[in-house]
Amino acid sequence: MAFIFPFFGPKAPRSGTMPVALTGRLDGTVGNSGDTVFSFGGYPQKAYISKFIISQEVLMTSGGAVTAVVQKYDASANAAVVLTAAVDMLTPTQVAREGYVIELLSSLTQAQRTLDVGDTLELKITAASTVTGQPTDLFVTAEILAAE
């Protein structure tokens, strides 16, 4: 016998989808004066990307700016698609222990917001100079809406 829970169900515009959290703990060294890309995985079915949250236990330090964007590696096009505006990784109010929600760019097309089988999500960190202190417990979580 199946149970029906009338108090739970996706709200519009999520009808017909199942919200799923895709989380990655990014262990590695952020490089100096350039880009470092960390992959935090994909999903085995077609899904729609909704938003992201990022957090660090201990913020990284640097003599210059350090920013990050979340991007999708589009396997069919063999190219990266930037999904978010740049986030300042050195500002505690944006990436504090509680996490910071990062919305998608409003200019994205439906195809760019779609995570197909084989695609992966990545955090691309850009350092303007030497990174003097590495982040501790750097997490990125994507809320995706499974469609199939």
Side-chain angles (χ1 to χ4, degrees), residues 43-137:
Y43 196 70
Q45 297 178 347
K46 183 177 183 177
Y48 303 107
I49 304 163
S50 176
K51 64 182 80 172
F52 301 94
I53 189 165
I54 187 169
S55 66
Q56 302 175 66
E57 181 71 26
V58 176
L59 299 178
M60 68 178 73
T61 56
S62 175
V66 179
T67 59
V69 295
V70 180
Q71 62 187 23
K72 172 183 85 168
Y73 175 75
D74 186 334
S76 63
N78 194 26
V81 177
V82 175
L83 301 173
T84 66
V87 175
D88 182 352
M89 296 296 286
L90 305 176
T91 305
T93 57
Q94 288 194 5
V95 285
R97 291 171 52 188
E98 298 85 18
Y100 177 71
V101 175
I102 308 170
E103 300 289 344
L104 295 175
L105 294 170
S106 60
S107 59
L108 295 175
T109 65
Q110 188 65 32
Q112 291 170 322
R113 294 175 57 123
T114 301
L115 190 65
D116 286 312
V117 175
D119 294 348
T120 56
L121 295 172
E122 302 172 330
L123 182 69
K124 178 181 173 184
I125 299 174
T126 302
S129 66
T130 302
V131 175
T132 55
Q134 295 294 323
T136 302
D137 290 335

